[in-house]
Amino acid sequence: MARIAVIGAGMGAMATAARLAVAGHQVAVYERAATYGGAVGRYEREGFAFDTGPGLLHLPAVYRDLFVKTGKRSLEDCVDLVQPDPAVRHVLPHHGIDVALPAASHGGVAAALDTAFGGGAGERWNALLGRARDAWDATRRPLLEEPLREGARQALREDPYPALRRAGLFRRRPPTLAEVADRELGGALGELLTGVVRTYGIDPATAPGSATVLPYMEQTFGSWYVRGGMRALATAVYERCLERKVAFTFGAEVREVLVRDGRAAGLLLADGGEVAADHVVCAVDPRQLSAGPWRPSDTAPARGSEAPGRITLLLALRGARPATAVHRTLVHAPGTQVTVVRPDDPATRPDAGHEAVTVSAVYGPGTSEPEELLNLAEKAVQGLRERLLWHEVRTPADVEAATGAPGGAVPPPALAGAGGRLLRPANTTDVPGLYLAGGWAHPGGGLPHAGMTGALVAGLIVEGAGFRGSQ
């Protein structure tokens, strides 16, 4: 039985801790904040409750596997997981388009797109997702299910998306995601693709064509909501950790990883205390540590791949949620997208005569101010201004204060292509006994990807460097 110290109590950290504990190790988690979950937070006021992180779970198989491997109760036994239908609504006010796409129906999506964008739109969309499936199949194992080794890193520098090759610049280099959208979809339909990718904090103008795997993943594996709010998923993972005897210490800021005799030997806390360990798992952005054993190039984001933050508005509305309301709406405006989340969940509101709505946008140069975000959100929520009781604004600075992430950054999923610029550091490091987990490590951010780091890091510690990933 090894002593394992985990830095951070986010989703990737807890997924790692639960798997290591069930393997018989003594696991202790040290978290600077007062609670678990990292970015998967919750805000409550006057009977209203809001998710302050992800509003939906994509690729739920990652967490189903976690619960199967760490206990007797399945994921569905621990949380009420539902699939909203329609899956998403797209509003493009500058084109006069408003379309809701059904869940779990490629044919239904194609028909809805034909109606909204004109005949042939659904066929073009499905053809593009077919090519995205080829990219997914080519990269799923090395990018999501296996530890990142140097050979795989080199291979993943190339874009696997089989874009339609035409005369001109595509003969000289692979197209960007924005160019794929323009050449293969065109016009407003292309904006649908770039808008979905932009919500992940990825710039379509510089992203590779492989970014098409993100809408492919959403449409193929579905979008899922946990009743009671997505925070309930974090609570379920935390409770599974407690069942497996993982120890948590909150309010414990880690200053650095201790290295003795050339290998990780524990943690130095901000209060001067030391924690001895046989293995250390860093599941936060390593830049949060004031000192560490890494070279700067090991942990700094590649140039052009810095993760952006988000600005979020939490809206308390008077009046009942309409029966026709869609859980998630993307409002597309030139250069930006606003995500509006309206859960059909009594746990989010004081009574049936009120509604809790969350509005978010990726934060960066040219980001709209809160007042402008409200204007865009009103395209999705009729009469929003008249119904508004109060609202709270959460900026990247608020996220940094709550989670410690520099600049409130939210890491996107790793992607193949772009010369490897969108890959994350491997789960192993140059320091024996030191591992990286969570969204700042391979395979990147987002609930499913961060959750997968738990399987990868636990496998590397339990089985050793020869661990090949899930089979």
Side-chain angles (χ1 to χ4, degrees):
M1 178 177 70
R3 300 165 301 171
I4 300 175
V6 180
I7 307 173
M11 299 301 284
M14 293 193 295
T16 306
R19 289 178 181 271
L20 287 169
V22 81
H25 296 296
Q26 179 183 326
V27 185
V29 174
Y30 296 85
E31 167 60 53
R32 67 183 294 277
T35 188
Y36 54 86
V40 186
R42 186 174 178 84
Y43 178 83
E44 298 182 4
R45 173 181 164 186
E46 299 172 12
F48 292 90
F50 306 87
D51 286 319
T52 58
L56 289 167
L57 171 64
H58 307 297
L59 205 61
V62 171
Y63 288 89
R64 290 191 177 110
D65 182 70
L66 171 65
F67 277 76
V68 166
K69 299 292 176 55
T70 59
K72 295 180 179 179
R73 299 176 65 212
S74 69
L75 175 64
E76 280 79 2
D77 287 336
C78 298
V79 298
D80 186 4
L81 200 61
V82 296
Q83 186 175 28
D85 194 7
V88 62
R89 174 187 172 201
H90 293 276
V91 178
L92 292 81
H94 52 300
H95 290 293
I97 292 174
D98 187 332
V99 57
L101 304 183
S105 173
H106 287 276
V109 168
L113 293 177
D114 280 341
T115 299
F117 295 91
E123 182 179 1
R124 294 198 305 278
W125 180 263
N126 281 346
L128 180 137
L129 289 195
R131 291 186 285 277
R133 180 190 60 218
D134 293 341
W136 170 265
D137 290 342
T139 60
R140 176 178 58 85
R141 284 192 59 79
L143 195 60
L144 190 63
E145 299 177 354
E146 297 178 343
L148 184 62
R149 296 181 170 87
E150 191 55 33
R153 180 183 290 275
Q154 292 303 316
L156 290 169
R157 291 170 59 88
E158 302 297 325
D159 189 349
Y161 179 74
L164 299 179
R165 299 291 175 176
R166 299 180 183 176
L169 65 94
F170 290 176
R171 287 182 175 177
R172 299 191 297 273
R173 60 164 175 79
T176 66
L177 188 281
E179 291 165 344
V180 167
D182 182 58
R183 299 283 297 249
E184 300 183 24
L185 296 177
L189 187 59
E191 291 181 35
L192 216 68
L193 174 65
T194 57
V196 171
V197 170
R198 192 176 279 113
T199 64
Y200 285 84
I202 297 171
D203 182 2
T206 58
S210 68
T212 53
V213 301
L214 300 174
Y216 167 79
M217 183 176 68
E218 288 189 15
Q219 189 168 318
T220 302
F221 303 108
S223 301
W224 301 81
Y225 175 71
V226 178
R227 291 207 179 276
M230 293 302 295
R231 174 68 175 176
L233 177 63
T235 297
V237 177
Y238 172 67
E239 291 176 347
R240 177 56 53 89
C241 286
L242 295 180
E243 291 171 7
R244 307 313 307 183
K245 309 303 181 185
V246 175
F248 286 81
T249 303
F250 296 107
E253 182 177 354
V254 176
R255 179 174 296 168
E256 65 178 276
V257 175
L258 298 175
V259 177
R260 295 192 176 108
D261 298 325
R263 65 170 290 116
L267 309 177
L268 174 64
L269 303 181
D271 64 7
E274 293 190 6
V275 175
D278 301 302
H279 301 279
V280 172
V281 178
C282 179
V284 300
D285 183 345
R287 293 175 297 171
Q288 292 187 36
L289 307 184
S290 61
W294 303 281
R295 298 188 306 271
S297 61
D298 290 331
T299 56
R303 185 176 181 181
S305 67
E306 291 81 357
R310 281 170 170 48
I311 184 167
T312 304
L313 310 183
L314 311 176
L315 313 181
L317 306 185
R318 63 171 62 89
R321 179 186 186 274
T324 56
V326 176
H327 183 103
R328 178 177 57 143
T329 299
L330 299 187
V331 181
H332 303 255
T336 190
Q337 272 68 44
V338 171
T339 301
V340 180
V341 176
R342 309 176 69 181
D344 184 12
D345 187 349
T348 65
R349 53 189 184 247
D351 53 52
H354 294 84
E355 182 181 7
V357 174
T358 302
V359 179
S360 63
V362 173
Y363 191 82
T367 300
S368 299
E369 295 299 317
E371 193 69 16
E372 295 175 87
L373 295 182
L374 282 174
N375 290 337
L376 290 173
E378 198 162 21
K379 306 294 183 182
V381 183
Q382 187 174 9
L384 184 150
R385 296 280 185 172
E386 292 74 22
R387 297 179 58 197
L388 186 61
L389 291 170
W390 52 263
H391 72 278
E392 294 279 350
V393 179
R394 288 176 58 87
T395 66
D398 296 321
V399 176
E400 179 174 10
T403 68
V410 180
L415 291 173
R421 177 173 52 83
L422 298 177
L423 299 177
R424 287 289 167 187
N427 306 109
T428 54
T429 71
D430 289 339
V431 180
L434 175 61
Y435 302 85
L436 303 181
W440 297 99
H442 173 71
L447 282 172
H449 294 72
M452 271 305 298
T453 64
L456 298 178
V457 172
L460 287 165
I461 292 176
V462 174
E463 299 186 24
F467 173 67
R468 300 302 304 170
S470 60
Q471 300 299 319

